[in-house]
Amino acid sequence: ATIQAAAGALGAGAEALEAAERSGLVRVRDRYLQFQHPLVRSSVYGAATTNLRQQAHRALAGALDGSGEHDRRTWHRAAATAGPDEDVARELDRVAERAALRGGFDAARAALERAAELTDGSEPRAQRWWAAAANARLAGQHDRAAHLLALARPETGDPLLRADIDLL
């Protein structure tokens, strides 16, 4: 239903899905659309222009409104966003909090890293990169943590945050 709603928002009807199924690219099973092979999925996604990918993610986010799937909706919103967007960044902060509470430190790192990329302002961006680095460390990704800390340090003039960066 989500795919069909998103496709409809982009002007593609049921006949487009039927054509894709007949071609063997995708199949629909139990309400889920599956590509026949992960390389097909990657090829289709990679062949689309940035603008088309953003439109698709925007449509998927819209189709997920009110579905209760907040994290998926937020990730689609983030993928549809090209420049700074504090609303989406705050939503990603909440995604990260939920992920960390379940022990999903890599997922929390990814959400905070994307939130930092969407942040307009050095201090809040530095704070998000530091938080992403802390989650990367908890996930055992020490090189990634070091990279994120290197991004955070020049962005902040806050002596407490610099101390936290140095400590981590």
Side-chain angles (χ1 to χ4, degrees), residues 3-164:
I3 297 291
Q4 290 172 328
L10 294 171
E15 62 281 351
L17 179 58
E18 288 177 21
E21 280 188 283
R22 277 194 306 277
S23 75
L25 289 175
V26 298
R27 64 180 174 195
V28 178
R29 299 283 185 266
D30 300 323
R31 298 183 13 230
Y32 294 98
L33 183 129
Q34 298 173 325
F35 283 90
Q36 292 290 17
H37 193 279
L39 291 176
V40 173
R41 182 183 64 231
S42 295
S43 296
V44 168
Y45 192 80
T49 64
T50 300
N51 186 47
L52 286 175
R53 284 192 301 269
Q54 287 174 329
Q55 287 178 31
H57 283 293
R58 200 170 294 113
L60 286 164
L64 288 166
D65 275 345
S67 69
E69 295 191 50
H70 304 294
D71 291 358
R72 281 184 60 210
R73 180 182 175 276
T74 297
W75 275 112
H76 284 297
R77 284 193 68 204
T81 304
D85 188 321
E86 191 57 32
D87 289 337
V88 175
R90 277 193 297 272
E91 285 182 38
L92 286 164
D93 288 341
R94 289 188 289 280
V95 168
E97 288 171 17
R98 287 189 292 272
L101 285 173
R102 351 179 253 279
F105 301 115
D106 185 45
R109 185 262 328 143
L112 288 162
E113 192 169 340
R114 182 64 178 136
E117 292 167 356
L118 296 176
T119 301
D120 188 23
S122 295
E123 289 297 333
R125 185 170 37 252
Q127 181 66 39
R128 285 180 171 131
W129 271 327
W130 172 82
N135 279 280
R137 185 188 65 79
L138 290 170
Q141 301 170 349
H142 302 288
D143 289 343
R144 188 73 189 158
H147 170 74
L148 292 165
L149 292 169
L151 294 173
R153 193 162 215 309
E155 294 282 332
T156 185
D158 179 353
L160 291 177
L161 183 54
R162 282 184 176 231
D164 286 340

